[in-house]
Every structure is written in structure tokens, then in C-alpha cells.
Amino acid sequence: MSSFAALKDKRRARQGPSFASTSSASPAAVPAEPVVPAPFEPIEPVSILGASTVEDTKLYVYGAGMYKDLPEYLEIRVSQTRGRGIYVKEGTSVKAGTSLMKVKPHAYSLSTPNLDAHCASCLLNPQSSLSPEYQVTQLRRCTGCLAVSYCSSECQKYDWKGHKEECRALKALRSHGDQDPGMPGEAVRALGRLVWTRKRVGGDTAWWTEVEHMQSNITLLNPRQHEPLAMLGLAVCRYLGITPQQSSPEETARKLDELGFPSIRNLTNFLSRFQTNSFSLTTPDLTNVGVAVSPLAALISHSCMPNAAVVFPTGLGRRGALEVIALRDLQSGEEILTSYLDVALPRAERQKELKERYLFDCECTLCTRELDPDWIDPRSAVRCRTEGCTAKLRMPQPGTTHILCNTCGTGFAIDAVSLQQHIQLGTAALQKADSLQFSDPAKARYLLVSVLRNLTPLARSSYPLLSILQLLQQLFITAFSVLPFEDPERDRFLQDAATCAALVFAGMDDVYPPGHPTKGVQSVTMAKLLMAEISDSALAPSPATSSLPADMLVLLPMGVCRLRMALELLSKASRDLRLGFGKDGGLVGKDASLLAVGLEREISMWSALRTNRRIR
Ligand SMILES: [Zn+2]
Ligand SMILES: [Zn+2]
Ligand SMILES: [Zn+2]
Ligand SMILES: [Zn+2]
């Protein structure tokens, strides 16, 4: 078996520094036995199939100093068919809510619309937390690049080593004046950070070897998939100060080599590794704000029915780490599985996305179960229209005009063809609204409200209804929170936000696994909406006051009953969040406890007031 250095030399000799060579799917050098590699041997791609057991795996051997955040009760194993994965060691078991690993990502970057809204180091902002120790009063821009912001000088100092070169590059981009290429995307900026950190710490360190050991899918890409990779490569080169189109091939090769890439092929492999292994960067309340890379966490395999979740419970930088939390008790020898995508998506959408981005056909328990003709997928179902019946019915096939509820025995008419069309229109509106949510939130709201009317036959847990309601809830929150208390529109937006929250809350249970942090976060969001100040004259949601369809309106209590409902949600959230975010429940869990204490006081004051009135 050839050593890693020899392999690199072979690549250097074979590939010239031209982007053209990346568009043909020429196979990279593959080690002779990719299954159990010697230390520092790169792993080549394998397909990921159904869940494996310890029996068909072997212990993965790696170099000293690598993956040092892996706790001693977990181990990395390799399966013939699924590649590497992380398993609970034989003879050990893990309790639900355990933080399986705390990892500082190798690099992370906020997406461009979030650069002004979050601290680039800890990810927090003034809305993040009520706890005094996590309180952020304001964000200040870095005076060097004017591009990233920090919540404090502590965070700025903490980030400086990583930001120094980035600051210079971002400043250089601004000085282009008219030719300003605009802010590079989060992937380009995160890749830049990786490259500069490698330059600082060295390419022979365990830190960089972990990056080189991330799985690359480059040999499995079709020519169409090579193009975005080449575009990304050009953008990264430009950002790093290399301009292949304006320099001689020798000059480009020399500059790339200085940054640790002996060939274009080598750089392309690095980009492909990044694309396959990067995570969504989320705030402590699970808002997606950018991209993160952690080679250790990236070893965890995917399942649409995960037993663990990747979260950032208290932010990053000096305040926290990427954590992988066990969502249920894990048995001896069990493989840790997280979901690479939103599990609220129906099977076809999930399969498509996993194939596109990760190049595998998912055969997880959920994907297999959905092939069972007797099983009704809550992600793709219609609801029974009988008052009080909560049954979900199979999505009718085209041509169906009548369906029967097996639970209550009622039959009703349905136009399956037009429902399918409305689902497609709804999906398109969701994508459009998602891209408009920051630039034109009013239009995004309008788009979603206008498709909602035709999606009322769907079960609340169905796609795209649940996702539309989730985004709409966010848009109504943005709308009401900027209006003054006296504005009559404010009550309306607040009631609509609370209604969406109640619908999302109801739909979520069927699609997210027990213990999933999304559920706890939703309970807290709904509780906060019920606690938000609302005028005494506010009307119950009705077709006259709400922009939501009549049969989606929920009766929300007012006065002290509203507060009691909020308190109930907060207690439920505190329990759920200790599972989903680990034992402290993260920042959202801390908020839930603080809010509950204040609310209990308020409710007892209300009760005292009522008693006093009665006495008088
Ligand atoms: Zn900060
Ligand atoms: Zn800066
Ligand atoms: Zn699956
Ligand atoms: Zn029914």
C-alpha cells in the first residue's frame, strides 16, 4: 500500500494546473485496499446503504492525535458497504440527552444575509438569550473589513487568529471599487479560513490530516456536477488572491502550492470534501445561519430517522461548541446516526437531495418503511374532514375522486389531480418565499398566504404545508415585532403568528423523532407568542381579522388562560430541551426556565387580583 505522501506525489505528477481537467470525470488514484486503511491513508468514497451492525464492520485505524474529541466510549468503525461511522463501544450504553461529543469546528462562516445579524464568533445576537451571562446588547462591525460583526471585544479577540487573513482578503475585495465582486458566499469564506489555518498550523498536523481524511465523492460525480465545483474553485482562488485566468499556469501552480495544494486536482478534491462533509451552522434556537466543517462529526452516517442531532446549544467560539446529542438511549454496538437534511421532507424529496449532494440512495428505516403499502406517511397525507377525527389518510392517487376514512367511516370527495398541482405550486411558492424572506418579507408572506388556501386538505404534518407554516410563523413574527403597540395591524400579525405556531406544533409531532430539539424550540416560540403583549380589544382570529384560511384558524385563549397555556408549553419545553440540547437544555432551555419563573409570578398576581375583586 502506498503512503499518503507518495500518493500526493503521484497526483502532482499526473495533473496539470488547469480547471479544464476537472470537468472530465477522470478517476483519482485509489488506494489498493480502501476498507481498513493504514494511518494517514485517505478514504475513497463508498455507497451508504441500510444501517449496519458491528458484526459487518472493522475498527478504523487512524493516526495519533486525530479525532481527539471522540469520547472513549465511542469508536470509529468501517463497514464494507457504508464506509466509516461512529459506534457505541461494545459493552457500553448511552442515555438519551447525553452530549456524545463537543467539538470546535475546523471552520465556520455566517451566510451573507446573517453577517450583520449575528456575532461572527459566538453566533449570538441581542435576541439570543435572556440569561445575563449570555446577554448581548449590540453587535459592532470589525473596523478592518467592515464585513463581520462581533458582540464583544472578547469574541473579537477570540476570533482574531482565524479572522486576520480573512479580514485582509475581505478588505481587498472592497478596494476593487466598481469591479467589486460582492461578498463571497459562506462556502468560499469557510474554505478560505481552512486554507489560511492550514498555512498557520502546518499541513503535517493531525488537524489538517483530518481534513484530508474527509470522504471525497469526486470520482462519483457526473460531468454536470463538476461544473459547480469548478465555479466554486474559481471563486475560492479569486478570494485567496489567485487569478488562473490572468496568470500563467506556472504562476498559478506556484501560488496554489504555497497554500498547500500541489495540483488543481488536489484543490478540487478539497472542495469536494468540503461540499460532502459540511454542516448547516445553526444558532442555539436552530435558525440556519451558515456553514460549518468538523471532520469528526462528519464521520457520523445519515438516517432520515436519526438517533442523534448536531446542535450548537450555547453558540460557538468562547461560548460553546458543536455538540452531538443522543436523542434516545443508545445500545451497546449501536451506530450513531444524524440526519443530513430536514426530516419533514417526504421520501422522494429526501432521496433526491441525498443523491444530488451526497451521492447515495438512502435505505434507512424510514425510507424502507415508506415502501410498505400499509403505512401512511404523515409527510404526504390528507386529513379526515370529520370534526374531531384526527386520522390521516393516504395521499390519493391521480384519478381518485372519493376517499374513505377507516377510523370514523366517513367518506368525502377529493380532486387528487388538482391537489397534486396545488402541492407543486405550494412547493414553488415555498422556495421563492424562502429566497425573499430577508429582502422582501411582505412579498414572501403574501406568496405563502395565497397558496395556503388550496392546501387545507393536507394533514398538518404534510409537505409542503408544515414547512410553509414554519416559514410563515417566522414572517409574521418579524412583521409584528417591528410595529408599535398602538398599531392595529400588530394584534393581527401576532394572532396569525400564534395560529401558525399552534398549527406547526400540532404537525411536528408526527415527523420529528421523539426528543428532537426542533420540538422544544417550537414550544418556546409558541409560549413567547402567547406571552407577547396583546391589546384587550384584540379579536379572536376570524376570517375577517386573519389572513389565514378559515379552517386553519385555532381558538387561542385570552387573558390568564392564555398565560396558563404558555406556562404549560414552557414546562413541556424544559423537559424536551434537556433531551434535544443536552442536560442544560442550551440557551433555549435556560430561557424556558427563566420565562416560566416570571410567568408563574404573573399568573399568581392575576389570581390575587381576581380574588381581591371578589372580596370587594
Ligand atoms: Zn460573540
Ligand atoms: Zn475584519
Ligand atoms: Zn432515509
Ligand atoms: Zn375520520
Side-chain angles (χ1 to χ4, degrees):
M1 197 183 283
S2 56
S3 76
F4 185 52
L7 200 68
K8 248 176 25 180
D9 283 336
K10 228 187 291 170
R11 286 187 185 166
R12 192 178 309 179
R14 213 183 280 170
Q15 279 103 28
S18 149
F19 270 101
S21 70
T22 63
S23 60
S24 67
S26 59
V30 181
E33 295 163 48
V35 179
V36 185
F40 299 90
E41 193 73 17
I43 279 273
E44 290 300 326
V46 281
S47 65
I48 297 179
L49 300 167
S52 59
T53 54
V54 181
E55 289 82 63
D56 46 60
T57 61
K58 288 178 183 170
L59 199 65
Y60 174 64
V61 186
Y62 49 87
M66 288 173 73
Y67 309 123
K68 58 178 172 35
D69 292 320
L70 189 74
E72 39 84 33
Y73 58 88
L74 299 179
E75 62 191 8
I76 305 169
R77 303 192 70 87
V78 192
S79 130
Q80 285 275 9
T81 46
R82 292 166 50 85
R84 290 168 298 176
I86 298 183
Y87 294 75
V88 178
K89 273 188 189 166
E90 299 260 71
T92 357
S93 60
V94 177
K95 281 257 163 287
T98 302
S99 176
L100 298 168
M101 54 180 89
K102 284 190 170 70
V103 183
K104 295 284 178 190
H106 273 40
Y108 58 96
S109 289
L110 289 167
S111 58
T112 308
N114 285 299
L115 280 171
D116 285 338
H118 296 269
C119 173
S121 177
C122 74
L123 309 180
L124 303 193
N125 67 12
Q127 287 82 47
S128 295
S129 178
L130 301 167
S131 322
E133 77 258 49
Y134 290 96
Q135 198 102 70
V136 166
T137 44
Q138 68 173 115
L139 296 172
R140 285 203 191 88
R141 278 196 198 183
C142 166
T143 49
C145 57
L146 301 177
V148 305
S149 303
Y150 294 103
C151 72
S152 57
S153 54
E154 287 98 319
C155 275
Q156 182 164 28
K157 255 181 236 151
Y158 191 96
D159 196 42
W160 181 242
K161 256 196 222 162
H163 179 59
K164 198 174 159 193
E165 297 261 16
E166 176 183 66
C167 193
R168 202 174 300 159
L170 291 171
K171 200 173 167 182
L173 283 183
R174 260 195 315 126
S175 66
H176 283 256
D178 286 352
Q179 319 259 271
D180 187 355
M183 177 61 67
E186 67 268 30
V188 174
R189 282 181 277 116
L191 284 157
R193 276 191 167 235
L194 280 174
V195 172
W196 289 314
T197 309
R198 181 204 176 278
K199 209 170 100 182
R200 200 177 73 236
V201 303
D204 53 356
T205 49
W207 186 90
W208 182 252
T209 312
E210 285 181 13
V211 174
E212 295 206 310
H213 277 222
M214 292 197 298
Q215 183 173 312
S216 161
N217 282 338
I218 193 99
T219 53
L220 302 177
L221 295 181
N222 61 39
R224 186 177 52 83
Q225 288 167 315
H226 270 275
E227 198 171 311
L229 208 56
M231 297 301 288
L232 180 64
L234 277 175
V236 170
C237 283
R238 199 184 305 131
Y239 183 52
L240 295 171
I242 303 168
T243 46
Q245 286 137 326
Q246 285 140 41
S247 322
S248 67
E250 293 74 26
E251 174 73 1
T252 304
R254 188 186 58 75
K255 282 189 176 167
L256 275 176
D257 200 42
E258 267 173 26
L259 291 171
F261 301 103
S263 69
I264 288 283
R265 181 86 214 172
N266 197 287
L267 174 68
T268 316
N269 250 316
F270 166 65
L271 301 177
S272 162
R273 288 200 172 95
F274 175 86
Q275 283 192 326
T276 311
N277 294 280
S278 52
F279 288 86
S280 291
L281 179 67
T282 55
T283 58
D285 70 356
L286 302 179
T287 309
N288 192 344
V289 289
V291 70
V293 193
S294 159
L296 174 58
L299 288 173
I300 301 172
S301 298
H302 163 84
S303 168
C304 305
M305 193 68 139
N307 57 23
V310 174
V311 287
F312 303 83
T314 56
L316 278 173
R318 68 192 173 97
R319 299 198 200 253
L322 178 158
E323 294 190 42
V324 180
I325 312 284
L327 297 179
R328 57 168 172 77
D329 292 350
L330 300 173
Q331 308 308 314
S332 153
E334 193 170 350
E335 183 173 9
I336 316 265
L337 300 164
T338 59
S339 178
Y340 296 175
L341 39 68
D342 185 0
V343 294
L345 293 170
R347 185 175 191 276
E349 302 280 332
R350 297 199 309 272
Q351 293 268 331
K352 202 175 104 196
E353 202 176 318
L354 291 168
K355 187 83 186 170
E356 270 292 303
R357 177 148 181 223
Y358 304 99
L359 310 173
F360 67 85
D361 298 306
C362 187
E363 292 180 10
C364 75
T365 37
L366 185 64
C367 286
T368 324
R369 185 177 186 193
E370 286 175 1
L371 296 174
D372 175 357
D374 291 331
W375 192 64
I376 297 169
D377 182 4
R379 296 159 187 83
S380 177
V382 293
R383 65 196 180 95
C384 176
R385 273 176 230 165
T386 308
E387 183 85 38
C389 178
T390 55
K392 289 177 193 60
L393 316 178
R394 188 178 316 286
M395 186 64 75
Q397 292 300 308
T400 309
T401 52
H402 192 267
I403 44 175
L404 181 74
C405 172
N406 286 332
T407 308
C408 67
T410 316
F412 48 90
I414 195 148
D415 181 350
V417 174
S418 79
L419 183 58
Q420 280 308 324
Q421 283 166 351
H422 289 308
I423 288 174
Q424 277 167 21
L425 289 173
T427 307
L430 177 63
Q431 278 160 5
K432 182 85 186 146
D434 190 58
S435 67
L436 286 173
Q437 59 173 312
F438 297 108
S439 56
D440 194 349
K443 182 157 183 210
R445 223 168 49 225
Y446 171 79
L447 273 172
L448 295 182
V449 164
S450 56
V451 292
L452 217 47
R453 199 170 359 107
N454 297 315
L455 297 175
T456 54
L458 294 180
R460 307 293 191 226
S461 53
S462 243
Y463 184 81
L465 181 57
L466 181 60
S467 305
I468 288 178
L469 290 169
Q470 279 173 307
L471 181 52
L472 210 44
Q473 161 187 300
Q474 206 42 56
L475 290 164
F476 281 130
I477 290 175
T478 315
F480 100 80
S481 47
V482 295
L483 292 176
F485 185 68
E486 311 76 54
D487 195 314
E489 282 281 278
R490 187 185 174 278
D491 280 347
R492 217 168 56 91
F493 285 139
L494 173 55
Q495 288 286 60
D496 278 352
T499 307
C500 284
L503 294 168
V504 170
F505 186 76
M508 232 172 205
D509 245 6
D510 291 318
V511 294
Y512 291 97
H516 197 283
T518 303
K519 296 205 261 192
V521 169
Q522 181 62 22
S523 303
V524 177
T525 306
M526 186 168 167
K528 281 183 177 170
L529 287 169
L530 293 174
M531 289 168 72
E533 203 161 356
I534 188 162
S535 54
D536 293 335
S537 59
L539 298 163
S542 76
T545 60
S546 170
S547 44
L548 300 169
D551 61 354
M552 284 194 188
L553 298 180
V554 184
L555 190 66
L556 295 166
M558 295 291 283
V560 73
C561 295
R562 197 172 172 101
L563 299 184
R564 287 216 176 91
M565 189 177 186
L567 187 60
E568 225 168 88
L569 283 163
L570 290 174
S571 339
K572 182 185 175 330
S574 295
R575 285 192 305 273
D576 287 353
L577 291 166
R578 277 196 292 272
L579 268 188
F581 283 128
K583 65 173 171 17
D584 298 329
L587 291 192
V588 186
K590 287 183 207 293
D591 270 15
S593 310
L594 284 171
L595 286 170
V597 171
L599 200 51
E600 266 165 10
R601 210 176 298 138
E602 202 175 327
I603 291 173
S604 61
M605 269 162 64
W606 267 78
S607 310
L609 206 67
R610 217 174 38 186
T611 321
N612 285 346
R613 268 197 207 132
R614 235 181 272 143
I615 292 167
R616 251 182 254 151

